[in-house]
Amino acid sequence: MTELDFEFLRAYLKQRSGLALTTEKRYLVESRLAPVCRRFSFATLRDLIGSLRIGHDGAIERAVVEAMTTNETFFFRDRIPFDLFRDVVLPEAIARNAARRRLRIWCAAASTGQEPYSLAMLLQEAAPRLAGWQVDIVATDISSEVIERARLGLYSQFEVQRGLPVQWLLKYFTQIGEQWQIAASLRAMVEFRQFNLLHGFEGLGTFDIIFCRNVLIYFDAPTKSEILTRFANSLSPGGGLLLGAAETVIGLTDRLAPDGKHRGLYGHAETARTAALRAAAG
Amino acid sequence: MSQRETTCLVVDDSAVIRKVARRIIEDIGYAVIEAEDGDTALGLCAESMPDLILLDWNMPNRDGYAFLQELRQSEAGRRPKVVFCTTENDVGAIARALRGGADEYIMKPFDRDILTAKLEQVGLSIRASTDIS
């Protein structure tokens, strides 16, 4: 791949997906795009990039964007955000929404579904507190291919062993040959949609809780700012945004602020200021 | 006075599996002892009870399940975390192992990520300096 091809690809991915392909990630290009070359019968990466330059085939363009975006995920990944959801964010949302008995959660980079299904399992465990509630989990990802996989809820033996307690494997999954499928009742709790974070969020409605972990790290600062500001618009008053451990809102938007007590949790800046003033007033 | 090392007993009749498991478990900060069957494992537990036992199912001279039943009968034997690590990959075997007193279950083949994740799930601390990514 020539320097010009790499620069073209970098600009192309930035425009289509927001992905900031740094020079250090150059090594990923060949390994990720080799299957796309095979699938569309391009002899070389150069030919594939040449086709993108002409830009007449939407299927190839989508395949390239999907191949280059990261889909690494597993059940209860990093554990702490899920403990935070179960012990802090969910109880607070239940208290806040007690009158209207409705809860909306958005997993903004759902990949193959492990994160939204982890939340669905935690909600199932909290079912007595949510009796009579309408609970929506909206799970989106830029890749239609991973969304299709997520809808099936079918996982390999390796996938179900990464992060999932074995007791919950037995409780919520059915063994189908070498694979494991998550229960239909949990699949029904999650609405999967293909969605690009660079597009407007208005059509999705507002959410009490937004999970967007380990995604912003791939964007440059202006794109991060833009997305975080739009998250602020999509978050209902008092709602919580959970980001990955290496991500923050600081220096990127003044609409959101760290929760102060719980690392990785963010809320509307005005809510945080009010809470701080109340605490100072004793 | 030096602090007692946290120990893991790896029970498996395959020397290869014991070697792979030893490498991963030592990396995350445990001292490892090995047994190639259930009888030997019971003898080692009688000498000094480990903190963690990684247990194969099918072995000569007392299989993993029989070992676990015997182990859990004594007061000291209820203390170690026991993680089955076996090719018995069906729901019935997993349920039986949990009823028998296992804390977690790993279906072979496994990798470093799975093993470390399972050890964390049973509440064992993983040495922070170990980067497994």
Side-chain angles (χ1 to χ4, degrees):
Chain A
M1 188 173 46
T2 65
E3 199 56 42
L4 273 178
D5 282 345
F6 180 70
E7 285 308 320
F8 167 79
L9 196 61
R10 178 140 83 167
Y12 183 88
L13 289 167
K14 171 75 174 61
Q15 188 204 351
R16 301 300 171 108
S17 67
L19 182 74
L21 187 65
T22 55
T23 316
E24 304 88 76
K25 292 283 168 70
R26 187 174 172 148
Y27 71 93
L28 277 177
V29 173
E30 290 194 15
S31 62
R32 293 276 178 92
L33 294 187
V36 181
C37 287
R38 281 197 294 277
R39 184 170 148 202
F40 292 95
S41 306
F42 290 106
T44 65
L45 185 56
R46 196 125 199 237
D47 295 341
L48 172 64
I49 293 173
S51 158
L52 295 178
R53 285 182 194 275
I54 300 166
H56 290 313
D57 192 329
I60 296 174
E61 292 170 8
R62 274 194 303 279
V64 167
V65 169
E66 290 186 6
M68 288 308 299
T69 46
T70 300
N71 297 315
E72 165 77 1
T73 184
F74 45 90
F75 290 100
F76 300 100
R77 184 180 179 186
D78 304 333
R79 209 189 75 245
I80 290 169
F82 294 95
D83 291 347
L84 197 55
F85 172 80
R86 185 195 57 209
D87 300 336
V88 177
V89 180
L90 180 62
E92 283 181 4
I94 290 174
R96 212 167 45 244
N97 295 2
R100 58 190 181 100
R101 298 166 85 78
R102 182 156 194 216
L103 192 61
R104 297 197 80 228
I105 300 164
W106 179 16
C107 285
S111 188
T112 41
Q114 284 90 332
E115 183 177 88
Y117 286 137
S118 297
L119 295 177
M121 284 184 264
L122 290 173
L123 288 166
Q124 196 67 42
E125 294 290 312
R129 284 182 288 158
L130 290 165
W133 283 59
Q134 184 185 337
V135 180
D136 305 321
I137 306 174
V138 177
T140 63
D141 197 279
I142 191 170
S143 163
S144 51
E145 197 176 315
V146 297
I147 285 291
E148 277 310 310
R149 264 207 67 200
R151 279 199 188 105
L152 281 175
L154 205 54
Y155 298 98
S156 71
Q157 192 173 285
F158 269 95
E159 289 170 316
V160 294
Q161 297 204 87
R162 292 187 71 185
L164 185 68
V166 72
Q167 290 85 353
W168 286 18
L169 177 68
L170 292 188
K171 190 171 177 182
Y172 292 119
F173 288 75
T174 306
Q175 193 171 24
I176 301 174
E178 294 285 297
Q179 293 190 296
W180 297 78
Q181 186 167 38
I182 196 152
S185 58
L186 294 186
R187 293 204 302 278
M189 289 172 71
V190 186
E191 180 200 345
F192 286 100
R193 292 168 67 167
Q194 191 272 335
F195 182 78
N196 189 335
L197 288 172
L198 295 187
H199 296 163
F201 296 177
E202 299 78 18
L204 298 172
T206 58
F207 295 92
D208 303 292
I209 300 161
I210 300 175
F211 268 69
C212 184
R213 301 168 54 236
N214 309 310
V215 178
L216 295 178
I217 44 172
Y218 297 104
F219 297 134
D220 62 15
T223 311
K224 283 179 190 168
S225 296
E226 196 182 313
I227 292 173
L228 286 168
T229 302
R230 282 194 267 139
F231 277 144
N233 294 336
S234 300
L235 204 57
S236 58
L241 166 69
L242 287 110
L243 299 179
E247 297 163 328
T248 183
V249 303
I250 296 167
L252 294 166
T253 178
D254 53 9
R255 300 278 315 282
L256 297 165
D259 164 78
K261 279 188 276 186
H262 306 286
R263 197 180 155 88
L265 177 62
Y266 302 85
H268 285 123
E270 55 269 35
T271 310
R273 274 195 295 274
T274 311
L277 285 173
R278 276 206 197 113
Chain B
M1 199 174 88
S2 67
Q3 200 176 5
R4 177 185 165 273
E5 272 189 304
T6 317
T7 53
C8 173
L9 170 61
V10 177
V11 192
D12 201 305
D13 58 342
S14 158
V16 175
I17 294 286
R18 293 200 305 272
K19 189 176 171 185
V20 170
R22 171 185 280 277
R23 195 179 305 147
I24 297 171
I25 294 167
E26 282 181 343
D27 270 358
I28 59 177
Y30 286 77
V32 173
I33 47 174
E34 297 179 18
E36 59 187 20
D37 58 54
D39 277 347
T40 312
L42 276 178
L44 290 170
C45 287
E47 277 175 32
S48 175
M49 194 60 75
D51 302 279
L52 164 70
I53 300 170
L54 193 68
L55 183 62
D56 187 19
W57 194 302
N58 296 307
M59 293 177 294
N61 307 324
R62 201 186 294 264
D63 68 19
Y65 187 77
F67 162 82
L68 180 62
Q69 284 190 310
E70 185 70 30
L71 178 82
R72 292 305 200 203
Q73 277 177 15
S74 73
E75 173 105 22
R78 285 193 281 274
R79 189 173 57 81
K81 299 288 184 186
V82 175
V83 178
F84 257 104
C85 184
T86 169
T87 50
E88 298 292 322
N89 291 351
D90 64 278
V91 170
I94 299 171
R96 189 167 170 231
L98 293 179
R99 280 198 306 272
D103 296 284
E104 256 297 345
Y105 201 96
I106 295 172
M107 296 175 271
K108 287 179 186 167
F110 64 95
D111 65 9
R112 173 178 288 256
D113 286 348
I114 290 171
L115 181 53
T116 49
K118 290 290 182 190
L119 299 189
E120 277 189 306
Q121 275 164 230
V122 297
L124 295 170
S125 61
I126 306 299
R127 191 165 59 188
S129 62
T130 302
D131 181 2
I132 58 162
S133 61

